Amino acid sequence: MTRRTRPESDRPSAVAVSYDTSDSAPRVVAKGYGTLAETIVRTAREHNLYVHESPELVGLLMQVDLDTHIPPQLYVAVAELLAWLYALDSEDGARRLEAPRPPPAS
């Protein structure tokens, strides 16, 4: 999920991207301006999804039709973002596994 505020107005914009290993590429699953953008971001946060702000990437992804795979020209940019998110997930999972356990009861 990426979000930006358009410099030409105060109207926010947001794009949600989903990737499934069975897909050939990530897919734009939601996008919008104003209230719809705020709803997309709020819904993502309510479901503990990452929200990444990148005006340049949002501008490019807004040009992709809904439920359409991203074009090859955006593979590298989106792959870098997904790799960063997967790394965050891995770090969070490792921290949960390494959490100290309470001492055994005597």
Side-chain angles (χ1 to χ4, degrees):
M1 161 89 56
T2 56
R3 179 177 103 167
R4 77 168 179 166
T5 300
R6 294 176 51 185
E8 64 272 12
S9 74
D10 291 333
R11 196 167 68 145
S13 59
V15 177
V17 176
S18 176
Y19 178 68
D20 187 291
T21 55
S22 65
D23 279 342
S24 60
R27 180 183 302 271
V28 172
V29 294
K31 65 180 185 173
Y33 295 100
T35 304
L36 179 56
E38 292 167 357
T39 300
I40 291 168
V41 172
R42 182 179 61 252
T43 301
R45 288 186 171 141
E46 287 171 355
H47 289 89
N48 296 318
L49 299 174
Y50 292 103
V51 175
H52 176 74
E53 295 191 31
S54 174
E56 298 82 10
L57 186 55
V58 169
L60 295 169
L61 291 170
M62 288 298 281
Q63 298 173 42
V64 178
D65 291 334
L66 278 176
D67 201 34
T68 301
H69 291 114
I70 64 166
Q73 298 89 334
L74 295 179
Y75 284 1
V76 172
V78 173
E80 288 174 355
L81 177 59
L82 291 174
W84 177 74
L85 293 174
Y86 290 138
L88 285 178
D89 274 348
S90 295
E91 288 175 15
D92 286 346
R95 275 190 226 125
R96 284 192 293 272
L97 292 174
E98 296 171 3
R101 295 184 177 159
S106 316

